[in-house]
Amino acid sequence: MDNRAEVREFLMTRRARITPEAAGITAGGNRRVEGLRRSEVASLAGVSVEYYSKLERGAIAGASASVLDALARALQLDETETAHLFDLARAADGVPTSGRPRRRAAGTPVPRQSLQWALASITDGIAFVRDQRQNLLAVNDLGRAFYSPVIGDGGRTPNLARFQFLDPAAREFYPDWEKFAEMCVAIMRAEAGRDPHDKALQDLVGELSTRSDHFRTLWAVHNVRTHGAGTKRFHHPVVGELTLAYEEFALTAEPGNVMLIYTAEPGSPSAERLRLLASWGAEHPAALDAEGRP
């Protein structure tokens, strides 16, 4: 896999963000580079300047795990960034990552009935499944009501990234829109490094880069992250402000797909608003059906 440009830009952006002081290096005057020099990274990683320069040009194929670990320490990569570096190296070596097939069909799979049953059994929280391309594949009843602005009027499979960057309603739905945008792109960037053969993801990145200046700018930063767990704020058009905790679970039966569950703190205003949203969804099934079911 020729991913040299991806490797080069990732290493350069990581090097540029570290100050000599943060790396424990006494900085001299007349520095003409942002962040560390290549020679400084090489010294911190215990490799020659020539070899590090080769890596930063994108020639990462064949790099050993010990070299990658040393490079991660020198560049102060976090766990997600380190995993991304190893994914880039495996891709350069032509090795599939995470047990996934090297190429996927572009079509969107139909969720298994047992998965639909599992989602339906979650009644007090928003539960949904998305794939590595940010497609919203399946939701429970509360999730369908919650994501009604994203699901829209049906048609193609709802996509969280398209909604984030191409639908003006996203800026109202996500009060912290800038933060959500950065998270969305960083998750997609990590997925792209994990499976660079995913043409559907490449096509989505190309579409968003063409249609959204903001996406294109964030994509060029090369930040990566995993979702995991946390708290988010939303503004739903039916019930208003919601502060929800989320947990992400990998679906081992469908590598690459994850289930996310959003819940509210018991007894909080958000918990009451979720109950109101559930009631609204139950009272307006026809409206939700018209908006399309994933």
Side-chain angles (χ1 to χ4, degrees), residues 168-235:
R171 290 186 178 268
E172 181 175 355
F173 189 67
Y174 302 128
D176 303 312
W177 187 89
E178 292 283 350
K179 178 181 178 182
F180 272 64
E182 292 172 3
M183 291 174 62
C184 179
V185 174
I187 291 168
M188 292 176 64
R189 176 61 89 171
E191 290 289 354
R194 195 169 295 121
D195 187 357
H197 302 279
D198 189 337
K199 186 178 184 303
L201 180 56
Q202 294 171 5
D203 290 344
L204 177 62
V205 170
E207 175 191 349
L208 295 177
S209 296
T210 300
R211 300 178 63 187
S212 169
D213 292 340
H214 202 95
F215 177 89
R216 186 166 58 251
T217 298
L218 290 174
W219 188 255
V221 176
H222 284 262
N223 286 341
V224 293
R225 67 165 290 155
T226 52
H227 212 165
T231 304
K232 293 182 179 180
R233 292 195 309 135
F234 302 89
H235 185 277

Short mmCIF file of all heavy atoms in Angstrom, two decimals, residues 168-235:
data_model
loop_
_atom_site.label_atom_id
_atom_site.label_comp_id
_atom_site.label_asym_id
_atom_site.label_seq_id
_atom_site.Cartn_x
_atom_site.Cartn_y
_atom_site.Cartn_z
N PRO A 168 -27.12 22.40 7.60
CA PRO A 168 -27.12 23.53 8.53
C PRO A 168 -27.77 23.21 9.87
O PRO A 168 -27.44 23.84 10.89
CB PRO A 168 -27.92 24.60 7.77
CG PRO A 168 -27.80 24.23 6.32
CD PRO A 168 -27.74 22.72 6.31
N ALA A 169 -28.68 22.23 9.90
CA ALA A 169 -29.35 21.88 11.16
C ALA A 169 -28.37 21.33 12.19
O ALA A 169 -28.65 21.34 13.39
CB ALA A 169 -30.46 20.86 10.90
N ALA A 170 -27.20 20.87 11.75
CA ALA A 170 -26.23 20.28 12.68
C ALA A 170 -25.73 21.30 13.69
O ALA A 170 -25.45 20.96 14.84
CB ALA A 170 -25.05 19.69 11.90
N ARG A 171 -25.62 22.55 13.31
CA ARG A 171 -25.09 23.56 14.23
C ARG A 171 -26.05 23.85 15.37
O ARG A 171 -25.64 24.31 16.44
CB ARG A 171 -24.74 24.84 13.46
CG ARG A 171 -23.53 24.65 12.54
CD ARG A 171 -23.10 25.94 11.90
NE ARG A 171 -21.94 25.76 11.06
CZ ARG A 171 -20.66 25.91 11.45
NH1 ARG A 171 -20.43 26.28 12.71
NH2 ARG A 171 -19.66 25.71 10.63
N GLU A 172 -27.33 23.58 15.16
CA GLU A 172 -28.29 23.72 16.25
C GLU A 172 -28.36 22.43 17.06
O GLU A 172 -28.42 22.45 18.30
CB GLU A 172 -29.68 24.05 15.71
CG GLU A 172 -30.73 24.24 16.81
CD GLU A 172 -32.07 24.68 16.28
OE1 GLU A 172 -32.18 24.93 15.06
OE2 GLU A 172 -33.02 24.76 17.08
N PHE A 173 -28.31 21.29 16.37
CA PHE A 173 -28.39 20.00 17.05
C PHE A 173 -27.18 19.78 17.96
O PHE A 173 -27.30 19.20 19.04
CB PHE A 173 -28.47 18.89 16.00
CG PHE A 173 -28.78 17.53 16.55
CD1 PHE A 173 -30.02 17.25 17.12
CD2 PHE A 173 -27.84 16.51 16.48
CE1 PHE A 173 -30.31 15.98 17.62
CE2 PHE A 173 -28.12 15.24 16.98
CZ PHE A 173 -29.36 14.98 17.55
N TYR A 174 -26.00 20.22 17.52
CA TYR A 174 -24.77 20.11 18.30
C TYR A 174 -24.36 21.49 18.82
O TYR A 174 -23.72 22.26 18.10
CB TYR A 174 -23.62 19.56 17.45
CG TYR A 174 -23.87 18.20 16.83
CD1 TYR A 174 -23.67 18.00 15.46
CD2 TYR A 174 -24.28 17.11 17.59
CE1 TYR A 174 -23.87 16.76 14.88
CE2 TYR A 174 -24.48 15.86 17.02
CZ TYR A 174 -24.27 15.70 15.65
OH TYR A 174 -24.47 14.47 15.09
N PRO A 175 -24.71 21.87 20.04
CA PRO A 175 -24.31 23.18 20.55
C PRO A 175 -22.80 23.38 20.54
O PRO A 175 -22.32 24.50 20.33
CB PRO A 175 -24.86 23.17 21.99
CG PRO A 175 -25.97 22.17 21.98
CD PRO A 175 -25.56 21.13 21.00
N ASP A 176 -22.05 22.30 20.75
CA ASP A 176 -20.58 22.37 20.69
C ASP A 176 -20.13 21.88 19.31
O ASP A 176 -19.33 20.94 19.19
CB ASP A 176 -19.97 21.51 21.80
CG ASP A 176 -20.46 21.92 23.17
OD1 ASP A 176 -20.45 23.12 23.46
OD2 ASP A 176 -20.87 21.03 23.95
N TRP A 177 -20.60 22.54 18.27
CA TRP A 177 -20.41 22.04 16.91
C TRP A 177 -18.93 21.89 16.56
O TRP A 177 -18.52 20.88 15.97
CB TRP A 177 -21.07 22.99 15.91
CG TRP A 177 -21.05 22.45 14.50
CD1 TRP A 177 -21.98 21.65 13.91
CD2 TRP A 177 -20.03 22.66 13.52
NE1 TRP A 177 -21.60 21.35 12.63
CE2 TRP A 177 -20.41 21.96 12.36
CE3 TRP A 177 -18.83 23.38 13.51
CZ2 TRP A 177 -19.64 21.95 11.19
CZ3 TRP A 177 -18.05 23.37 12.35
CH2 TRP A 177 -18.45 22.67 11.20
N GLU A 178 -18.10 22.85 16.91
CA GLU A 178 -16.68 22.79 16.57
C GLU A 178 -16.03 21.56 17.19
O GLU A 178 -15.24 20.85 16.54
CB GLU A 178 -15.96 24.05 17.05
CG GLU A 178 -16.36 25.33 16.32
CD GLU A 178 -15.71 25.43 14.94
OE1 GLU A 178 -14.82 24.61 14.66
OE2 GLU A 178 -16.09 26.31 14.17
N LYS A 179 -16.34 21.28 18.44
CA LYS A 179 -15.79 20.12 19.13
C LYS A 179 -16.25 18.84 18.46
O LYS A 179 -15.46 17.90 18.24
CB LYS A 179 -16.21 20.15 20.60
CG LYS A 179 -15.73 18.96 21.42
CD LYS A 179 -16.22 19.07 22.86
CE LYS A 179 -15.80 17.86 23.69
NZ LYS A 179 -16.32 17.96 25.08
N PHE A 180 -17.54 18.77 18.12
CA PHE A 180 -18.07 17.59 17.45
C PHE A 180 -17.40 17.39 16.09
O PHE A 180 -17.11 16.26 15.69
CB PHE A 180 -19.59 17.73 17.25
CG PHE A 180 -20.40 17.25 18.42
CD1 PHE A 180 -20.31 17.85 19.65
CD2 PHE A 180 -21.27 16.18 18.27
CE1 PHE A 180 -21.06 17.42 20.72
CE2 PHE A 180 -22.03 15.73 19.33
CZ PHE A 180 -21.93 16.35 20.56
N ALA A 181 -17.18 18.48 15.38
CA ALA A 181 -16.55 18.38 14.06
C ALA A 181 -15.14 17.81 14.18
O ALA A 181 -14.74 16.94 13.40
CB ALA A 181 -16.52 19.77 13.40
N GLU A 182 -14.37 18.29 15.15
CA GLU A 182 -13.02 17.78 15.35
C GLU A 182 -13.04 16.30 15.71
O GLU A 182 -12.22 15.52 15.22
CB GLU A 182 -12.32 18.59 16.45
CG GLU A 182 -12.04 20.04 16.06
CD GLU A 182 -11.52 20.86 17.22
OE1 GLU A 182 -11.33 20.28 18.31
OE2 GLU A 182 -11.32 22.07 17.04
N MET A 183 -13.96 15.90 16.57
CA MET A 183 -14.07 14.50 16.96
C MET A 183 -14.42 13.62 15.77
O MET A 183 -13.82 12.56 15.57
CB MET A 183 -15.13 14.34 18.06
CG MET A 183 -14.76 14.94 19.39
SD MET A 183 -16.13 14.86 20.58
CE MET A 183 -16.38 13.09 20.73
N CYS A 184 -15.38 14.07 14.99
CA CYS A 184 -15.83 13.29 13.84
C CYS A 184 -14.69 13.04 12.86
O CYS A 184 -14.45 11.90 12.43
CB CYS A 184 -16.98 14.03 13.16
SG CYS A 184 -17.64 13.19 11.68
N VAL A 185 -13.94 14.08 12.54
CA VAL A 185 -12.85 13.94 11.57
C VAL A 185 -11.72 13.09 12.15
O VAL A 185 -11.13 12.26 11.44
CB VAL A 185 -12.33 15.33 11.15
CG1 VAL A 185 -11.10 15.20 10.25
CG2 VAL A 185 -13.42 16.10 10.41
N ALA A 186 -11.41 13.27 13.43
CA ALA A 186 -10.33 12.50 14.04
C ALA A 186 -10.67 11.01 14.08
O ALA A 186 -9.80 10.15 13.89
CB ALA A 186 -10.05 13.01 15.44
N ILE A 187 -11.93 10.66 14.32
CA ILE A 187 -12.35 9.26 14.30
C ILE A 187 -12.25 8.71 12.88
O ILE A 187 -11.75 7.59 12.66
CB ILE A 187 -13.79 9.13 14.84
CG1 ILE A 187 -13.83 9.44 16.33
CG2 ILE A 187 -14.35 7.73 14.57
CD1 ILE A 187 -15.22 9.61 16.90
N MET A 188 -12.68 9.48 11.89
CA MET A 188 -12.58 9.04 10.50
C MET A 188 -11.13 8.89 10.07
O MET A 188 -10.78 7.97 9.33
CB MET A 188 -13.30 10.03 9.59
CG MET A 188 -14.80 10.06 9.75
SD MET A 188 -15.60 11.33 8.73
CE MET A 188 -15.21 10.76 7.08
N ARG A 189 -10.27 9.79 10.52
CA ARG A 189 -8.84 9.72 10.17
C ARG A 189 -8.22 8.44 10.74
O ARG A 189 -7.43 7.77 10.06
CB ARG A 189 -8.13 10.97 10.68
CG ARG A 189 -6.64 11.00 10.48
CD ARG A 189 -6.26 10.95 9.03
NE ARG A 189 -6.17 12.25 8.41
CZ ARG A 189 -5.68 12.43 7.17
NH1 ARG A 189 -5.24 11.40 6.47
NH2 ARG A 189 -5.65 13.62 6.62
N ALA A 190 -8.60 8.09 11.97
CA ALA A 190 -8.09 6.85 12.56
C ALA A 190 -8.59 5.63 11.78
O ALA A 190 -7.84 4.67 11.55
CB ALA A 190 -8.52 6.75 14.02
N GLU A 191 -9.85 5.65 11.36
CA GLU A 191 -10.39 4.54 10.57
C GLU A 191 -9.68 4.43 9.23
O GLU A 191 -9.40 3.32 8.75
CB GLU A 191 -11.89 4.73 10.36
CG GLU A 191 -12.73 4.54 11.60
CD GLU A 191 -12.80 3.09 12.05
OE1 GLU A 191 -12.28 2.21 11.32
OE2 GLU A 191 -13.35 2.83 13.13
N ALA A 192 -9.38 5.56 8.61
CA ALA A 192 -8.71 5.54 7.31
C ALA A 192 -7.31 4.94 7.43
O ALA A 192 -6.84 4.23 6.53
CB ALA A 192 -8.63 6.95 6.73
N GLY A 193 -6.64 5.22 8.55
CA GLY A 193 -5.32 4.63 8.76
C GLY A 193 -5.41 3.15 9.05
O GLY A 193 -4.54 2.37 8.66
N ARG A 194 -6.50 2.74 9.71
CA ARG A 194 -6.68 1.34 10.08
C ARG A 194 -6.97 0.49 8.85
O ARG A 194 -6.56 -0.67 8.77
CB ARG A 194 -7.82 1.24 11.09
CG ARG A 194 -7.90 -0.07 11.84
CD ARG A 194 -8.87 0.03 13.00
NE ARG A 194 -8.39 0.97 14.01
CZ ARG A 194 -9.04 2.05 14.40
NH1 ARG A 194 -10.21 2.36 13.88
NH2 ARG A 194 -8.53 2.85 15.32
N ASP A 195 -7.72 1.04 7.91
CA ASP A 195 -8.04 0.29 6.69
C ASP A 195 -7.99 1.22 5.48
O ASP A 195 -9.01 1.75 5.04
CB ASP A 195 -9.42 -0.35 6.80
CG ASP A 195 -9.71 -1.28 5.64
OD1 ASP A 195 -8.87 -1.38 4.73
OD2 ASP A 195 -10.78 -1.91 5.62
N PRO A 196 -6.80 1.46 4.93
CA PRO A 196 -6.67 2.37 3.79
C PRO A 196 -7.26 1.81 2.50
O PRO A 196 -7.31 2.52 1.50
CB PRO A 196 -5.15 2.55 3.67
CG PRO A 196 -4.58 1.31 4.26
CD PRO A 196 -5.51 0.93 5.37
N HIS A 197 -7.71 0.55 2.52
CA HIS A 197 -8.29 -0.04 1.32
C HIS A 197 -9.80 0.18 1.24
O HIS A 197 -10.44 -0.32 0.32
CB HIS A 197 -8.00 -1.55 1.29
CG HIS A 197 -6.54 -1.87 1.33
ND1 HIS A 197 -5.73 -1.83 0.23
CD2 HIS A 197 -5.74 -2.23 2.37
CE1 HIS A 197 -4.50 -2.17 0.57
NE2 HIS A 197 -4.48 -2.40 1.87
N ASP A 198 -10.38 0.86 2.22
CA ASP A 198 -11.82 1.07 2.26
C ASP A 198 -12.21 2.18 1.28
O ASP A 198 -12.13 3.36 1.59
CB ASP A 198 -12.25 1.43 3.68
CG ASP A 198 -13.76 1.44 3.84
OD1 ASP A 198 -14.48 1.61 2.84
OD2 ASP A 198 -14.22 1.29 4.98
N LYS A 199 -12.62 1.78 0.08
CA LYS A 199 -12.92 2.77 -0.96
C LYS A 199 -14.12 3.63 -0.60
O LYS A 199 -14.16 4.83 -0.91
CB LYS A 199 -13.18 2.07 -2.30
CG LYS A 199 -13.37 3.06 -3.46
CD LYS A 199 -13.56 2.34 -4.78
CE LYS A 199 -13.65 3.36 -5.92
NZ LYS A 199 -14.74 4.35 -5.73
N ALA A 200 -15.12 3.04 0.08
CA ALA A 200 -16.30 3.82 0.45
C ALA A 200 -15.92 4.95 1.40
O ALA A 200 -16.44 6.06 1.31
CB ALA A 200 -17.35 2.93 1.08
N LEU A 201 -14.99 4.68 2.33
CA LEU A 201 -14.53 5.73 3.23
C LEU A 201 -13.72 6.77 2.47
O LEU A 201 -13.87 7.98 2.70
CB LEU A 201 -13.70 5.12 4.36
CG LEU A 201 -13.14 6.10 5.41
CD1 LEU A 201 -14.26 6.92 6.04
CD2 LEU A 201 -12.36 5.34 6.48
N GLN A 202 -12.88 6.33 1.55
CA GLN A 202 -12.13 7.27 0.72
C GLN A 202 -13.06 8.18 -0.08
O GLN A 202 -12.84 9.38 -0.20
CB GLN A 202 -11.21 6.50 -0.23
CG GLN A 202 -10.10 5.71 0.44
CD GLN A 202 -9.37 4.81 -0.52
OE1 GLN A 202 -9.61 4.83 -1.73
NE2 GLN A 202 -8.47 3.99 0.01
N ASP A 203 -14.13 7.58 -0.61
CA ASP A 203 -15.10 8.37 -1.38
C ASP A 203 -15.80 9.41 -0.50
O ASP A 203 -16.05 10.55 -0.93
CB ASP A 203 -16.14 7.45 -2.03
CG ASP A 203 -15.55 6.61 -3.15
OD1 ASP A 203 -14.44 6.94 -3.63
OD2 ASP A 203 -16.20 5.62 -3.55
N LEU A 204 -16.13 9.00 0.74
CA LEU A 204 -16.78 9.94 1.66
C LEU A 204 -15.84 11.09 2.00
O LEU A 204 -16.27 12.26 2.01
CB LEU A 204 -17.20 9.20 2.93
CG LEU A 204 -17.83 10.08 4.03
CD1 LEU A 204 -19.12 10.74 3.54
CD2 LEU A 204 -18.10 9.24 5.28
N VAL A 205 -14.59 10.78 2.27
CA VAL A 205 -13.61 11.83 2.55
C VAL A 205 -13.48 12.77 1.36
O VAL A 205 -13.43 14.00 1.52
CB VAL A 205 -12.24 11.21 2.91
CG1 VAL A 205 -11.15 12.30 2.96
CG2 VAL A 205 -12.32 10.49 4.24
N GLY A 206 -13.45 12.22 0.16
CA GLY A 206 -13.37 13.05 -1.03
C GLY A 206 -14.58 13.96 -1.20
O GLY A 206 -14.45 15.14 -1.53
N GLU A 207 -15.76 13.40 -0.95
CA GLU A 207 -16.99 14.19 -1.05
C GLU A 207 -16.99 15.34 -0.04
O GLU A 207 -17.28 16.50 -0.40
CB GLU A 207 -18.19 13.29 -0.82
CG GLU A 207 -19.52 14.05 -0.77
CD GLU A 207 -20.67 13.18 -0.28
OE1 GLU A 207 -20.52 11.94 -0.15
OE2 GLU A 207 -21.75 13.75 0.00
N LEU A 208 -16.68 15.04 1.21
CA LEU A 208 -16.70 16.07 2.25
C LEU A 208 -15.59 17.10 2.03
O LEU A 208 -15.79 18.29 2.31
CB LEU A 208 -16.58 15.43 3.63
CG LEU A 208 -17.75 14.52 4.03
CD1 LEU A 208 -17.48 13.88 5.38
CD2 LEU A 208 -19.05 15.29 4.07
N SER A 209 -14.45 16.66 1.55
CA SER A 209 -13.35 17.61 1.28
C SER A 209 -13.74 18.58 0.19
O SER A 209 -13.35 19.76 0.22
CB SER A 209 -12.09 16.84 0.88
OG SER A 209 -11.61 16.03 1.93
N THR A 210 -14.50 18.11 -0.78
CA THR A 210 -14.94 18.96 -1.89
C THR A 210 -16.03 19.92 -1.46
O THR A 210 -16.04 21.10 -1.88
CB THR A 210 -15.45 18.08 -3.05
OG1 THR A 210 -14.40 17.23 -3.50
CG2 THR A 210 -15.92 18.95 -4.21
N ARG A 211 -16.93 19.48 -0.59
CA ARG A 211 -18.11 20.27 -0.27
C ARG A 211 -17.99 21.08 1.01
O ARG A 211 -18.83 21.95 1.27
CB ARG A 211 -19.32 19.33 -0.17
CG ARG A 211 -19.61 18.57 -1.45
CD ARG A 211 -20.78 17.61 -1.31
NE ARG A 211 -22.02 18.32 -1.02
CZ ARG A 211 -23.16 17.70 -0.72
NH1 ARG A 211 -23.20 16.38 -0.65
NH2 ARG A 211 -24.25 18.40 -0.48
N SER A 212 -16.98 20.81 1.85
CA SER A 212 -16.85 21.51 3.13
C SER A 212 -15.42 21.98 3.35
O SER A 212 -14.51 21.16 3.53
CB SER A 212 -17.28 20.59 4.29
OG SER A 212 -16.94 21.16 5.54
N ASP A 213 -15.23 23.29 3.37
CA ASP A 213 -13.90 23.83 3.67
C ASP A 213 -13.46 23.45 5.08
O ASP A 213 -12.27 23.21 5.32
CB ASP A 213 -13.92 25.36 3.53
CG ASP A 213 -14.10 25.81 2.09
OD1 ASP A 213 -13.84 25.00 1.18
OD2 ASP A 213 -14.50 26.97 1.89
N HIS A 214 -14.42 23.42 6.01
CA HIS A 214 -14.08 23.11 7.40
C HIS A 214 -13.58 21.67 7.52
O HIS A 214 -12.60 21.40 8.22
CB HIS A 214 -15.30 23.33 8.29
CG HIS A 214 -14.96 23.54 9.73
ND1 HIS A 214 -14.81 24.78 10.30
CD2 HIS A 214 -14.72 22.65 10.73
CE1 HIS A 214 -14.49 24.66 11.57
NE2 HIS A 214 -14.43 23.37 11.86
N PHE A 215 -14.27 20.75 6.85
CA PHE A 215 -13.81 19.36 6.88
C PHE A 215 -12.41 19.26 6.29
O PHE A 215 -11.54 18.59 6.85
CB PHE A 215 -14.77 18.46 6.11
CG PHE A 215 -14.31 17.02 6.06
CD1 PHE A 215 -14.67 16.13 7.05
CD2 PHE A 215 -13.49 16.57 5.02
CE1 PHE A 215 -14.23 14.81 7.03
CE2 PHE A 215 -13.05 15.25 4.99
CZ PHE A 215 -13.43 14.37 5.99
N ARG A 216 -12.20 19.90 5.16
CA ARG A 216 -10.90 19.82 4.49
C ARG A 216 -9.78 20.33 5.39
O ARG A 216 -8.70 19.74 5.47
CB ARG A 216 -10.94 20.61 3.18
CG ARG A 216 -9.69 20.47 2.33
CD ARG A 216 -9.92 20.99 0.92
NE ARG A 216 -10.33 22.39 0.91
CZ ARG A 216 -11.55 22.81 0.60
NH1 ARG A 216 -12.51 21.94 0.30
NH2 ARG A 216 -11.85 24.09 0.60
N THR A 217 -10.05 21.40 6.13
CA THR A 217 -9.05 21.97 7.04
C THR A 217 -8.75 21.00 8.18
O THR A 217 -7.59 20.76 8.52
CB THR A 217 -9.54 23.30 7.61
OG1 THR A 217 -9.73 24.23 6.52
CG2 THR A 217 -8.54 23.88 8.60
N LEU A 218 -9.79 20.42 8.77
CA LEU A 218 -9.59 19.49 9.88
C LEU A 218 -8.91 18.20 9.41
O LEU A 218 -8.08 17.64 10.13
CB LEU A 218 -10.93 19.16 10.53
CG LEU A 218 -11.59 20.28 11.33
CD1 LEU A 218 -12.98 19.85 11.80
CD2 LEU A 218 -10.74 20.68 12.52
N TRP A 219 -9.23 17.74 8.22
CA TRP A 219 -8.62 16.52 7.70
C TRP A 219 -7.10 16.71 7.54
O TRP A 219 -6.32 15.78 7.78
CB TRP A 219 -9.25 16.15 6.37
CG TRP A 219 -8.83 14.81 5.85
CD1 TRP A 219 -7.96 14.55 4.83
CD2 TRP A 219 -9.26 13.52 6.33
NE1 TRP A 219 -7.82 13.19 4.64
CE2 TRP A 219 -8.61 12.54 5.55
CE3 TRP A 219 -10.13 13.11 7.35
CZ2 TRP A 219 -8.80 11.17 5.76
CZ3 TRP A 219 -10.31 11.75 7.55
CH2 TRP A 219 -9.65 10.80 6.76
N ALA A 220 -6.68 17.91 7.16
CA ALA A 220 -5.26 18.18 6.94
C ALA A 220 -4.46 18.23 8.24
O ALA A 220 -3.23 18.15 8.22
CB ALA A 220 -5.10 19.50 6.19
N VAL A 221 -5.14 18.34 9.39
CA VAL A 221 -4.45 18.41 10.67
C VAL A 221 -3.91 17.04 11.10
O VAL A 221 -2.97 16.96 11.88
CB VAL A 221 -5.40 18.99 11.75
CG1 VAL A 221 -4.74 18.99 13.12
CG2 VAL A 221 -5.80 20.41 11.37
N HIS A 222 -4.53 15.96 10.61
CA HIS A 222 -4.09 14.59 10.89
C HIS A 222 -4.26 14.17 12.35
O HIS A 222 -3.56 13.28 12.83
CB HIS A 222 -2.63 14.38 10.47
CG HIS A 222 -2.46 14.24 8.99
ND1 HIS A 222 -2.34 13.02 8.35
CD2 HIS A 222 -2.41 15.18 8.02
CE1 HIS A 222 -2.22 13.23 7.05
NE2 HIS A 222 -2.26 14.52 6.82
N ASN A 223 -5.20 14.76 13.07
CA ASN A 223 -5.48 14.29 14.42
C ASN A 223 -6.29 13.01 14.35
O ASN A 223 -7.12 12.82 13.45
CB ASN A 223 -6.27 15.35 15.21
CG ASN A 223 -5.39 16.51 15.64
OD1 ASN A 223 -4.17 16.39 15.67
ND2 ASN A 223 -6.00 17.64 15.95
N VAL A 224 -6.05 12.11 15.30
CA VAL A 224 -6.80 10.85 15.37
C VAL A 224 -7.30 10.67 16.80
O VAL A 224 -6.72 11.19 17.75
CB VAL A 224 -5.93 9.64 14.96
CG1 VAL A 224 -5.57 9.70 13.50
CG2 VAL A 224 -4.65 9.57 15.81
N ARG A 225 -8.38 9.91 16.94
CA ARG A 225 -8.91 9.63 18.27
C ARG A 225 -9.85 8.43 18.20
O ARG A 225 -10.33 8.05 17.12
CB ARG A 225 -9.65 10.83 18.86
CG ARG A 225 -10.94 11.20 18.15
CD ARG A 225 -11.78 12.14 19.00
NE ARG A 225 -12.35 11.45 20.15
CZ ARG A 225 -12.70 12.06 21.29
NH1 ARG A 225 -12.53 13.36 21.44
NH2 ARG A 225 -13.23 11.37 22.29
N THR A 226 -10.08 7.83 19.36
CA THR A 226 -11.14 6.83 19.49
C THR A 226 -12.27 7.47 20.28
O THR A 226 -12.08 8.47 20.98
CB THR A 226 -10.62 5.59 20.25
OG1 THR A 226 -10.01 6.01 21.48
CG2 THR A 226 -9.60 4.84 19.42
N HIS A 227 -13.45 6.90 20.14
CA HIS A 227 -14.62 7.49 20.78
C HIS A 227 -14.67 7.10 22.25
O HIS A 227 -14.52 7.92 23.13
CB HIS A 227 -15.88 7.04 20.04
CG HIS A 227 -16.96 8.06 20.05
ND1 HIS A 227 -18.05 8.01 19.21
CD2 HIS A 227 -17.14 9.16 20.80
CE1 HIS A 227 -18.84 9.05 19.44
NE2 HIS A 227 -18.32 9.75 20.41
N GLY A 228 -14.87 5.80 22.53
CA GLY A 228 -14.80 5.31 23.89
C GLY A 228 -15.96 5.71 24.77
O GLY A 228 -17.02 5.11 24.73
N ALA A 229 -15.76 6.73 25.58
CA ALA A 229 -16.79 7.16 26.52
C ALA A 229 -16.62 8.64 26.80
O ALA A 229 -15.55 9.21 26.62
CB ALA A 229 -16.69 6.36 27.83
N GLY A 230 -17.71 9.27 27.25
CA GLY A 230 -17.64 10.70 27.55
C GLY A 230 -19.02 11.29 27.72
O GLY A 230 -20.01 10.56 27.93
N THR A 231 -19.10 12.59 27.63
CA THR A 231 -20.36 13.32 27.77
C THR A 231 -20.49 14.32 26.63
O THR A 231 -19.51 14.95 26.24
CB THR A 231 -20.42 14.07 29.12
OG1 THR A 231 -20.23 13.13 30.18
CG2 THR A 231 -21.76 14.76 29.30
N LYS A 232 -21.70 14.46 26.11
CA LYS A 232 -21.96 15.40 25.02
C LYS A 232 -23.24 16.18 25.30
O LYS A 232 -24.14 15.71 26.00
CB LYS A 232 -22.11 14.66 23.68
CG LYS A 232 -20.86 13.98 23.18
CD LYS A 232 -21.13 13.32 21.82
CE LYS A 232 -19.90 12.66 21.26
NZ LYS A 232 -20.17 12.01 19.96
N ARG A 233 -23.27 17.37 24.71
CA ARG A 233 -24.48 18.20 24.78
C ARG A 233 -25.18 18.20 23.42
O ARG A 233 -24.53 18.25 22.39
CB ARG A 233 -24.14 19.64 25.17
CG ARG A 233 -23.63 19.81 26.57
CD ARG A 233 -23.66 21.27 26.98
NE ARG A 233 -23.02 22.13 25.99
CZ ARG A 233 -23.54 23.29 25.55
NH1 ARG A 233 -24.71 23.71 25.98
NH2 ARG A 233 -22.87 24.02 24.67
N PHE A 234 -26.51 18.19 23.47
CA PHE A 234 -27.32 18.26 22.26
C PHE A 234 -28.45 19.26 22.47
O PHE A 234 -28.82 19.57 23.59
CB PHE A 234 -27.93 16.89 21.93
CG PHE A 234 -26.93 15.78 21.74
CD1 PHE A 234 -26.52 15.02 22.83
CD2 PHE A 234 -26.41 15.50 20.49
CE1 PHE A 234 -25.60 13.99 22.66
CE2 PHE A 234 -25.49 14.48 20.31
CZ PHE A 234 -25.08 13.72 21.40
N HIS A 235 -28.97 19.73 21.35
CA HIS A 235 -30.20 20.54 21.40
C HIS A 235 -31.18 19.91 20.43
O HIS A 235 -31.03 20.04 19.21
CB HIS A 235 -29.95 22.00 21.03
CG HIS A 235 -31.17 22.85 21.20
ND1 HIS A 235 -32.15 22.94 20.23
CD2 HIS A 235 -31.60 23.63 22.23
CE1 HIS A 235 -33.11 23.76 20.64
NE2 HIS A 235 -32.80 24.18 21.85
#
